[in-house]
Amino acid sequence: MSSPPPAPPGEISIDDAIEKLGYGRFQIRVMIAAGLCFAADAMEVLLLSFLSVVLQALWELTAAQTALLTSIVFLGQFLGTLVLGPLGDRIGRRPVFLLAAVIITIFGVATAFCNTFGALVVVRMLVGFGVGGLTVAFDTLAELLPVHARGRDLLFIDYFWTLGTLLVPVAAYVTLGEETNANHDNENGWRYFVVLCALPCFISVIMGAWLVPESPRWLLTQNKADEALAILRKGAVANRLDPYAVFPEGTTLKLEEPEASTMLDLFTPTWRWITIPMWVTWAGFAFLYYGTILATTSFFSEAPVDSEVSDAYTFDYGAIFVAGSAEIFGTTFAILTVDTWGRRPVQVISYTLGGICIIILGVFAKDDSLRSAMITFAFFARLFMMAGNITTWVATAEILTTEIRTTGHSCANAMARLGGFAAPYLVSEARDPLTIGGIMFGVAMVTAFTASRLPETKGKVLGMHLQHPLDHADNVGTNGGGQVELPASQVTAKPIV
């Protein structure tokens, strides 16, 4: 293979530029803005586990209507990922990031003014549409991080998600109360609840407009090298570096090859053996994550159907909060292991152990006297499902190259939303807890298997990976460090630059 032509004096790649920029306040500001979007995503989705119980009681919804109220958000997310994700590859990361946050804020607040089930379904679908664009915020952060900080920070952002999951039961406790029935006048509590859950995204809109720049990597695909360099120099100032010492006069950035990516590009010979297991993994982890949340909330709440108290509901906020707090430990577990064990092993171990915990929880849920054991296994189920899904997010952003990253990530996210769409129908109060546990265990095993077929990206340049179906073949060896080692003729690594 012939060597590429040498770069002109002063010309550097975007990867070298990001490494020169280092890590500091520039990336932290973007992480906070993107993190608030993640908190908003968590709150807008997880509030449904409470809202569905409350409105089932107050509005006397059928089981099918209750499931639709949750699943319609995932349908909106499915559509949003297919529209807003590719739009981020065409018009830029920043405008789509802000557009998604504005949509969530507007329709999140509008939820409080819905008085009919039909209106509520439409508005929640539009909230989901906005949430579908939040992969762009994640990809923007990924494209600004140096290699040494990328794995850590792309996982650290999930503490914001966990913050959102913990704020939901707090907001529910404040606005909904622990228990209500026909003798309690709290019919509008759910309206205050959904408004509170929309606040993080409103803050994210303000911070995003102020602090989040356009991605320099994306600008280089649009032949806007000067604008990309200007952003990097501003980043150097934010990181307390001399911008002209880091990027002296005469420095130019190597342009990226402009490519218009579509979903069909994910099924070219280069990508299809990665796309298929990636999509199955995403659909699986979303079903597992949201299914675990729905199951634990259902196991620790009650909406009686007695005609005399048809508008009653109760929540065991202590058990729900303890289970939700497991995500802090799940995120920490992933941070501590992802750069040592690797992305692939963390996913496989997490999904496997999460599946085992949820089926045991299903066994214990049949006996309310085993409440402590239920809380314990709910805790560990949430811990491992969180660790697995956030590691899949990181691996996906690293596997995909710049010209296809947002489209590829969004399409994978669309598959996740299909998994989330199925969750309220398969994980419902109409099913026996053991049946729910068995279904989720089976999905966990499939997800662990498909995650094992994805390329390992630990320690590699963003977008540099092995793109060959033999990557996981039995006759492929590994080097001393456990990394996949193909014969040189079979390695088709494709860097982002």
Side-chain angles (χ1 to χ4, degrees):
M1 179 183 294
S2 61
S3 300
E11 185 178 66
I12 61 174
S13 70
I14 184 61
D15 289 300
D16 290 338
I18 293 295
E19 293 300 318
K20 286 177 175 288
L21 184 62
Y23 179 82
R25 289 191 298 175
F26 178 59
Q27 288 90 349
I28 291 172
R29 290 171 179 174
V30 176
M31 182 176 66
I32 292 173
L36 286 171
C37 271
F38 263 46
D41 186 350
M43 296 184 75
E44 289 296 337
V45 173
L46 299 182
L47 70 83
L48 297 170
S49 61
F50 289 91
L51 190 62
S52 60
V53 173
V54 173
L55 293 185
Q56 182 181 27
L58 296 180
W59 288 8
E60 300 182 0
L61 302 181
T62 65
Q65 287 176 314
T66 303
L68 178 61
L69 184 59
T70 299
S71 63
I72 197 65
V73 176
F74 293 103
L75 177 60
Q77 291 176 7
F78 175 78
L79 298 174
T81 56
L82 296 180
V83 174
L84 297 178
L87 192 63
D89 283 334
R90 287 168 174 75
I91 69 172
R93 309 319 197 206
R94 185 174 185 272
V96 174
F97 173 20
L98 295 176
L99 175 62
V102 168
I103 290 173
I104 296 169
T105 302
I106 291 174
F107 292 102
V109 173
T111 301
F113 298 93
C114 294
N115 294 313
T116 66
F117 178 74
L120 188 62
V121 167
V122 172
V123 169
R124 295 311 298 176
M125 184 178 71
L126 292 171
V127 169
F129 184 84
V131 170
L134 293 185
T135 53
V136 176
F138 189 84
D139 291 334
T140 299
L141 178 62
E143 293 176 348
L144 291 171
L145 291 171
V147 171
H148 76 274
R150 194 176 63 230
R152 178 196 66 200
D153 275 38
L154 291 182
L155 289 173
F156 187 84
I157 195 176
D158 285 285
Y159 282 120
F160 287 91
W161 176 280
T162 300
L163 174 64
T165 65
L166 294 178
L167 287 176
V168 170
V170 172
Y173 181 80
V174 171
T175 57
L176 301 176
E178 186 171 356
E179 179 178 355
T180 191
N181 55 45
N183 297 319
H184 291 78
D185 185 15
N186 193 27
E187 291 187 359
N188 291 320
W190 69 270
R191 301 181 191 274
Y192 303 124
F193 174 55
V194 296
V195 170
L196 280 179
C197 290
L199 287 181
C201 213
F202 174 72
I203 298 171
S204 180
V205 171
I206 297 173
M207 291 194 66
W210 178 36
L211 297 175
V212 177
E214 185 52 84
S215 166
R217 292 182 187 270
W218 179 82
L219 289 170
L220 291 175
T221 68
Q222 308 298 308
N223 296 321
K224 297 180 179 179
D226 291 343
E227 189 175 340
L229 184 58
I231 290 174
L232 292 173
R233 283 182 170 142
K234 288 181 180 178
V237 172
N239 287 352
R240 299 183 177 180
L241 301 173
D242 182 344
Y244 288 94
V246 179
F247 305 110
E249 290 287 355
T251 298
T252 59
L253 295 173
K254 188 184 300 182
L255 294 175
E256 299 276 304
E257 286 294 326
E259 294 187 30
S261 59
T262 68
M263 188 186 301
L264 294 178
D265 294 325
L266 296 171
F267 290 94
T268 61
T270 300
W271 287 104
R272 62 176 173 238
W273 294 108
I274 293 174
T275 296
I276 294 171
M278 181 184 291
W279 282 12
V280 175
T281 301
W282 274 73
F285 91 61
F287 176 86
L288 293 169
Y289 179 78
Y290 293 113
T292 300
I293 290 170
L294 291 172
T296 53
T297 304
S298 174
F299 295 160
F300 298 124
S301 65
E302 184 177 359
V305 295
D306 189 300
S307 61
E308 295 183 0
V309 287
S310 61
D311 61 346
Y313 59 83
T314 61
F315 293 108
D316 184 347
Y317 286 105
I320 293 171
F321 189 85
V322 168
S325 68
E327 296 193 359
I328 299 174
F329 298 93
T331 300
T332 303
F333 170 75
I335 290 174
L336 295 177
T337 57
V338 72
D339 285 325
T340 52
W341 299 0
R343 280 58 163 160
R344 189 163 53 194
V346 172
Q347 292 176 79
V348 173
I349 291 170
S350 296
Y351 294 132
T352 300
L353 293 180
I356 293 172
C357 288
I358 198 69
I359 195 171
I360 295 175
L361 175 61
V363 173
F364 289 160
K366 296 173 69 67
D367 186 351
D368 197 56
S369 66
L370 301 173
R371 194 84 167 171
S372 296
M374 286 175 59
I375 295 173
T376 299
F377 281 97
F379 179 91
F380 282 104
R382 290 284 293 271
L383 186 156
F384 288 119
M385 294 309 180
M386 182 67 174
N389 90 64
I390 65 177
T391 305
T392 299
W393 269 82
V394 170
T396 300
E398 294 177 331
I399 289 169
L400 299 168
T401 54
T402 300
E403 70 277 0
I404 204 170
R405 181 169 295 116
T406 301
T407 296
H409 209 165
S410 295
C411 288
N413 200 16
M415 298 302 106
R417 304 313 172 177
L418 291 181
F421 182 88
Y425 292 100
L426 295 176
V427 183
S428 69
E429 294 183 1
R431 294 185 186 277
D432 180 78
L434 185 57
T435 301
I436 292 174
I439 292 171
M440 296 187 67
F441 176 78
V443 174
M445 295 305 101
V446 172
T447 305
F449 174 76
T450 55
S452 74
R453 316 308 288 177
L454 297 174
E456 179 57 70
T457 57
K458 182 185 74 170
K460 296 183 180 180
V461 174
L462 193 64
M464 174 72 76
H465 57 87
L466 298 174
Q467 299 177 359
H468 195 283
L470 292 179
D471 185 17
H472 307 290
D474 293 338
N475 62 342
V476 176
T478 60
N479 60 26
Q483 296 291 317
V484 174
E485 188 174 55
L486 292 177
S489 63
Q490 296 178 356
V491 175
T492 56
K494 183 178 181 181
I496 61 172
V497 293

